[in-house]
Amino acid sequence: MVLAFALYPGVYALLADSGLSTEVVAVLPRIETLVVVLFFGLFAMSFDFISGYTGYLSFGHAAFYGTGAYVVALGANGKLPALGPETPFMLLLVLAGVAAAVLALAIGSVSFRLSGVYFAMITLGFSQVLYVFVRDWDFVSSAPRDGVAVTGTLEGFRIGVPGVDGLNVAIGQLTGDSIEGLFGFINLSPTEVSFYAIGAVVLVCYLAMQRLVHSPFGRTLIAIRENEERARAIGYNTYAYKLGAFVASGFFAGIAGALFVGFRRSVTPENGFYFLVAGDALLVSIIGGFGTLAGPLYGELFDASVREFLSKEGGGGGLLPYLRANVGDATLATELYNGLTVAEAIDTFLNGHAALYVGLLFVLFVLYVPNGLLGTARDRMDGTLAKAVPRRVRRWFDG
Amino acid sequence: MSAGVALASLASLAPAGPSIPLQFADALIEFLSPTTLVDVILRGIAEASLYVMIAAGLTLVFGLMGVLNFAHGSLTMLGAYLGGLVLVVAVAQSTGGVGRLLAFGVAVVVAFGALAALGGGIEVGLVRPIYDRPPLYQILLTFGVTLVLDELARIVVLFYGLQPTTVWQDVLGTKPVVLAESVGAAGVSVSGLELFQILFGVATVVGVHLFLTRTRYGLYVRAGGEDSEMLSALGVDVNRVFTVVFALGTGIAGAAGVLLAWDPSWGASVPLAAETLLPAFVVVIVGGLGTFRGTVVAALIVGLVDSSMTWWFQNFVDFTGLPEMVVFLVLVITLIVKPQGLYGVSEVGGH
């Protein structure tokens, strides 16, 4: 799967040049969208790490994402105490994670005295307090409602191994590095470089979370989800385990928020702290598979693809430009009903309204596929895909 | 921690005068003067009436079925648009005050009926199959319903050439002149709309209270809240009771929406869904999930806190988000100090 992500930009470029190019551009997401998939997927994974594994719905998870994002934005603008605007991004990244983890410790230590609906509500309350606070706090920028843009530095944020110049690349659509002639034949645009650099960070975070989930620590979390009273009766300090998981989850959510600002170079209260950001993470976690860790990434991939396909601008290809280019004007101008043409109907009911279809699908998933894409696939295959697929293939060959 | 940071910076946000404590004392004395206080309290009760209307349906549904309905805000929003549509169609320039109030009555009935039907449909079609799953899944399901309803509303509103994110101004124009004017007595002035809201809120509270205590269905609801299995063992068709209560809850949400459509500080718009959902949650949780008495008390508390914080923000603290932030702080602090809410029973809601 990692390989598939790594090869995607190349395949996309190849297909976009081929004979099917219009179809490919219309259906497949752009690389830029995939970068979003990576960092938001990481946020959704961190959400799944706490909610999917312990069963505690952290509805205020956006607080940690927003904290990570604001730490980087403020740090780069030189507004954090003791840190100048030239603080390296890798340091800010870790700081963002730590700040979010500290916040998670504070919120979690009071919230985990509650459970069920009340836990969801108190985390929601905390995140909304922070949302309103950040929205109206004029320290962050002169117009806090419009969010913060990185203005302290014009250079791209650099991701890489600290101290080794050759192993650092700048990310961002306009500010990123482009690489030419790697191994003699690979040329990468700034967006593609960002894709790989952010992908590397996300991969490291995923592997770390995956290690945690498969450790005895992760097993205990599942025990808490299945039957917390029994877990406590066996002698586990469930409060400490839940709090530990919450802090780890907050850390990775902070990293995701930091990557978000690293790539986009701006953040608003609405796309950082607002509770619907956590709602989006919830949505993609359910579609991808709750309690599967990797599932939310696929859920986000699916969600982002649908949104781009039905996007209003048609910037990365999508349905309407494709139809305009390939279907005759006469068809598009056909009246369906009372002066409503086909083009207008598509414009009215499809474009920019991906949320409707994703929402419908989400409801269907909750009703009929509660385990999500990856969860169901694992149930069918009887084990994780990495182990089950080779087993199947081997059985196939053995006859 | 977050609260501490917030308060610390609030202090720093206060206007930098010669001495802050002195200014604070001045403001406090002004705040406690009878006219200001009465003003703030009346405004608070008017807001509490709105909150109790938004939250009543939510608490009924939660009390009986244990479903926290995330789609409640969207249903309120739909009610605002439907009621607004009736008002815009029925009210002409020449319509007098009484005619407009009558049209409002029709709008409330239409919104109540349509939303009750929709709510009943949602309960039968979507929520009923998953009662036996963990409460998480009911939250997820209704959250999905919210997404769909909001987007549908956005499509329809755009189709008719309105902006979904801004308030539908035509509806505000149908308000009778009486409600826009202020009534003044002994230095205290209160707008007609606020009195109207208080009247409406009190009527709702009395209505729901009578429903719960004086009718057969109300008896079922109270009994079902304690033990729905026992209720069905006694020969009551619990499924039908669930459907009726869900429909009633969403119907009240619709009626509340119509009332909000006349209030210039809310108004009919698609974001109204999230704007009403969050305060409704605060009220229901602070009061204690599933107790109607708690909801009424909590609505009063939240309304009064909101209106007094609005006064403080306008007169002393230079921080726009103060009322909203303090309302959420009320939620957080209540949950820390009294996890079941004011009147909650500890078994409800997965404690």
Side-chain angles (χ1 to χ4, degrees):
Chain A
M1 215 41 226
V2 175
L3 201 66
F5 265 97
L7 290 178
Y8 185 80
V11 174
Y12 182 82
L14 212 65
L15 286 176
D17 278 341
S18 69
L20 290 170
S21 80
T22 47
E23 282 79 6
V24 168
V25 171
V27 174
L28 290 180
R30 283 174 300 173
I31 310 298
E32 194 199 329
T33 311
L34 272 188
V35 180
V36 179
V37 167
L38 284 175
F39 62 69
F40 200 82
L42 177 63
F43 173 57
M45 283 195 272
S46 80
F47 172 78
D48 189 35
F49 182 77
I50 182 71
S51 296
Y53 281 88
T54 64
Y56 280 74
L57 191 61
S58 168
F59 221 87
H61 222 61
F64 311 127
Y65 187 64
T67 304
Y70 270 82
V71 164
V72 171
L74 294 180
N77 286 349
K79 290 217 170 164
L80 290 187
L83 289 174
E86 59 286 331
T87 315
F89 181 64
M90 293 307 278
L91 181 62
L92 281 177
L93 194 68
V94 174
L95 263 181
V98 170
V102 170
L103 182 68
L105 184 68
I107 292 180
S109 57
V110 286
S111 301
F112 275 113
R113 293 166 54 209
L114 311 172
S115 63
V117 173
Y118 294 91
F119 177 79
M121 285 299 128
I122 195 170
T123 49
L124 177 67
F126 274 119
S127 95
Q128 282 300 105
V129 167
L130 287 172
Y131 161 70
V132 177
F133 180 61
V134 167
R135 194 189 62 187
D136 294 317
W137 191 26
D138 47 14
F139 167 78
V140 294
S141 75
S142 52
R145 269 174 202 258
D146 298 334
V148 193
V150 175
T151 49
T153 163
L154 291 175
E155 280 175 37
F157 294 113
R158 307 186 75 81
I159 288 184
V161 182
V164 189
D165 252 3
L167 289 176
N168 274 290
V169 287
I171 57 170
Q173 263 175 292
L174 299 172
T175 52
D177 289 339
S178 56
I179 295 179
E180 276 171 35
L182 184 66
F183 308 128
F185 59 93
I186 302 177
N187 295 323
L188 296 174
S189 71
T191 310
E192 284 164 343
V193 169
S194 310
F195 174 74
Y196 286 113
I198 289 175
V201 177
V202 170
L203 183 65
V204 169
C205 291
Y206 166 69
L207 290 176
M209 276 194 276
Q210 209 233 15
R211 269 326 312 147
L212 279 173
V213 161
H214 290 285
S215 68
F217 178 78
R219 296 279 124 194
T220 316
L221 296 184
I222 294 175
I224 290 173
R225 180 184 69 193
E226 297 302 327
N227 192 336
E228 183 165 356
E229 281 178 23
R230 187 173 290 175
R232 203 180 305 125
I234 297 172
Y236 286 113
N237 181 356
T238 55
Y239 179 82
Y241 275 92
K242 288 184 289 188
L243 193 56
F246 198 60
V247 170
S249 169
F251 177 81
F252 291 115
I255 299 266
L259 290 174
F260 161 61
V261 170
F263 184 64
R264 283 282 174 80
R265 301 183 70 81
S266 71
V267 56
T268 66
E270 264 67 36
N271 63 23
F273 276 99
Y274 198 43
F275 80 106
L276 287 179
V277 175
D280 277 340
L282 176 70
L283 184 95
V284 300
S285 299
I286 294 297
I287 291 180
F290 213 40
T292 57
L293 198 59
L297 184 65
Y298 304 126
E300 167 63 17
L301 179 62
F302 176 83
D303 182 45
S305 309
V306 174
R307 277 176 207 267
E308 190 188 312
F309 185 61
L310 295 175
S311 72
K312 225 180 183 82
E313 306 87 22
L319 188 62
L320 197 60
Y322 175 70
L323 288 181
R324 278 211 186 108
N326 293 286
V327 183
D329 281 344
T331 326
L332 285 181
T334 315
E335 282 194 18
L336 283 178
Y337 170 76
N338 204 6
L340 185 72
T341 65
V342 175
E344 278 166 11
I346 292 173
D347 206 32
T348 313
F349 296 112
L350 290 175
N351 270 357
H353 297 298
L356 173 64
Y357 303 98
V358 175
L360 277 177
L361 198 85
F362 175 75
V363 170
L364 292 177
F365 262 83
V366 172
L367 281 176
Y368 302 111
V369 199
N371 292 334
L373 290 173
L374 192 61
T376 310
R378 280 184 186 168
D379 285 349
R380 284 276 170 87
M381 295 287 212
D382 196 22
T384 62
L385 295 188
K387 285 180 191 137
V389 172
R391 196 165 62 224
R392 290 254 163 151
V393 173
R394 220 174 297 133
R395 207 179 303 153
W396 192 265
F397 279 116
D398 292 344
Chain B
M1 187 210 93
S2 59
V5 172
L7 289 177
S9 58
L10 274 186
S12 70
L13 281 166
S19 89
I20 287 167
L22 207 66
Q23 283 188 0
F24 179 77
D26 268 359
L28 191 64
I29 290 167
E30 203 189 321
F31 178 69
L32 291 177
S33 74
T35 47
T36 318
L37 213 54
V38 172
D39 214 34
V40 166
I41 288 174
L42 272 176
R43 198 154 295 152
I45 295 176
E47 277 180 41
S49 311
L50 293 178
Y51 288 141
V52 87
M53 291 210 53
I54 300 168
L58 201 63
T59 199
L60 277 184
V61 170
F62 192 91
L64 182 61
M65 293 164 258
V67 173
L68 194 57
N69 185 6
F70 261 73
H72 202 77
S74 301
L75 296 164
T76 311
M77 180 266 294
L78 289 184
Y81 269 116
L82 268 179
L85 185 67
V86 172
L87 282 170
V88 169
V89 170
V91 175
Q93 272 297 334
S94 54
T95 316
V98 181
R100 289 180 180 215
L101 284 179
L102 278 178
F104 182 80
V106 175
V108 167
V109 171
V110 168
F112 184 89
L115 266 297
L118 178 64
I122 291 175
E123 200 275 341
V124 173
L126 298 175
V127 187
R128 186 174 292 173
I130 59 166
Y131 277 128
D132 48 349
R133 295 230 207 120
L136 178 70
Y137 281 92
Q138 291 137 23
I139 293 183
L140 298 177
L141 182 89
T142 49
F143 181 70
V145 172
T146 301
L147 294 176
V148 174
L149 289 180
D150 282 6
E151 204 57 43
L152 274 178
R154 206 165 285 148
I155 290 176
V156 173
V157 170
L158 271 175
F159 187 72
Y160 286 102
L162 294 168
Q163 274 306 316
T165 44
T166 52
V167 172
W168 194 7
Q169 293 294 339
D170 297 359
V171 184
L172 294 178
T174 63
K175 203 163 49 177
V177 191
V178 190
L179 293 190
E181 283 171 353
S182 292
V183 191
V188 180
S189 79
V190 55
S191 81
L193 186 65
E194 279 168 0
L195 287 179
F196 186 65
Q197 286 168 348
I198 294 176
L199 215 67
F200 214 85
V202 170
T204 310
V205 170
V206 172
V208 173
H209 181 73
L210 288 180
F211 166 77
L212 283 175
T213 52
R214 296 292 159 84
T215 64
R216 181 154 285 271
Y217 258 96
L219 184 68
Y220 293 163
V221 172
R222 285 181 293 142
E226 302 235 330
D227 190 339
S228 60
E229 265 178 47
M230 195 64 210
L231 187 66
S232 73
L234 289 171
V236 177
D237 184 353
V238 172
N239 274 343
R240 212 177 65 196
V241 177
F242 280 10
T243 311
V244 168
V245 169
F246 205 95
L248 187 70
T250 50
I252 298 177
V258 184
L259 191 60
L260 292 178
W262 260 2
D263 190 327
S265 57
W266 299 81
S269 68
V270 174
L272 184 70
E275 283 165 25
T276 54
L277 183 67
L278 293 172
F281 275 161
V282 174
V283 167
V284 168
I285 300 280
V286 168
L289 276 165
T291 61
F292 185 64
R293 189 173 48 150
T295 304
V296 176
V297 174
L300 276 174
I301 293 176
V302 172
L304 289 174
V305 164
D306 195 355
S307 70
S308 46
M309 282 307 142
T310 307
W311 187 90
W312 277 100
F313 145 65
Q314 281 161 353
N315 291 284
F316 182 64
V317 185
D318 183 23
F319 186 73
T320 343
L322 182 71
E324 210 181 335
M325 199 168 92
V326 175
V327 165
F328 286 113
L329 276 178
V330 168
L331 168 76
V332 168
I333 292 167
T334 310
L335 279 176
I336 293 173
V337 177
K338 210 163 178 327
Q340 317 86 2
L342 296 176
Y343 292 92
V345 196
S346 55
E347 291 92 64
V348 183
H351 265 296

